[in-house]
Structures are given as structure tokens and as C-alpha cells.
Amino acid sequence: MKRFLTLAAVTALAGPAFADDDLMKVQSSSDVASTMDALEAAVEGAGATVFARVDHAGGAEGVGMQLAPSEVLIFGNPKLGTPAMQADPLAGLFLPMKVLVYEDADGQVWLAYEDPEEMFDELDRIDDDAEYIQQMTGALGKLTEKAAGG
């Protein structure tokens, strides 16, 4: 079960970015749409492929419900993902990568993603020390920091 800290506790502990075991979160200095645009540009600029941009709030609005701004970017780079799926085809359940950009109840915008090492933790054939996991972790960190305005 995932644990979530209050915004005050997060800020006191880690400032603009923090990790909660499986989830990595980076505080953005912009709104959801601008942050998502910046993330999409950063992903494409890094040579990865954007597969989809999902607007959760737009979906909610389409059925007459309200949701704070929230979007997911689904993207990948076969140079990083293929070795994981070669090691264990079940890695395809976790790939391509996903980053959520959302506005919390206090109006703060966050980028969130699952730590690749933790994401593959249940797969016996994926070594936590695999180079592609380190590369995924580094890429996600750089992309989200860039999109956050950092």
C-alpha cells in the first residue's frame, strides 16, 4: 500500500522534490498544462517517443464530473525499454514510462512517476542494478526537473 505525506510534511522534509518509496514527486513552478507542455517538449528533445497524452480532468468533464487538472504523458525509448523486456517480457506491463502532472488540493502542481527500480521489483529476472534501470531513473529525474522549471 502506498503512503502519502501531507504537503507540509513533504516541504519540511525535502523541499521541492521528494520520494515516497515507489513514487517520485517533483514540485512544478507552473500550471498543469504548461508543465505538461514542457515535459512533452523535454521528452521529444531527448529523442524519446511520446505515445499519448491523457487528460484525466477532460475525461471527467466529459461525463459531467469535476476533477482538478491532471494529465499523464506516456512515452518511451526502445534503447532503454527493450533490454528490460529482453530480461523479462513482463516488464512490458510497466512500459512505456508514465509521468502524471496534477494539481493537488492546495493548488500546487506536481510531476509524479514510479521509481523504475521499485516498478520492476516484483519481476525476478530484472536486476535492481541493471544499467537500463539506472538510465531510466536518470532520464526521468532530468526530464521531470526540466519540466518543473528547475
Side-chain angles (χ1 to χ4, degrees), residues 48-59:
T49 301
V50 172
F51 297 110
R53 182 170 170 167
V54 180
D55 181 354
H56 290 306

Side-chain angles (χ1 to χ4, degrees), residues 4 7 10 19 24 33 35 59 72-73 77 81 104 111 123 125 131 139:
F4 293 94
L7 181 58
V10 169
M24 307 299 291
T35 301
V72 172
L73 193 69
N77 181 338
D104 69 15
L111 296 100
L123 302 181
R125 297 182 187 156
E131 183 178 342

Side-chain angles (χ1 to χ4, degrees), residues 99-120:
V99 174
L100 171 68
V101 179
Y102 71 99
E103 182 181 303
D104 69 15
D106 295 320
Q108 179 57 57
V109 174
W110 296 90
L111 296 100
Y113 60 92
E114 192 168 11
D115 177 13
E117 184 177 328
E118 299 296 327
M119 180 171 63
F120 296 124

Side-chain angles (χ1 to χ4, degrees), residues 69-106:
S70 176
E71 296 186 34
V72 172
L73 193 69
I74 302 169
F75 62 94
N77 181 338
K79 289 181 181 179
L80 298 181
T82 301
M85 289 187 282
Q86 288 173 327
D88 191 329
L90 291 174
L93 288 170
F94 305 100
L95 297 171
M97 305 304 283
K98 294 171 278 309
V99 174
L100 171 68
V101 179
Y102 71 99
E103 182 181 303
D104 69 15
D106 295 320

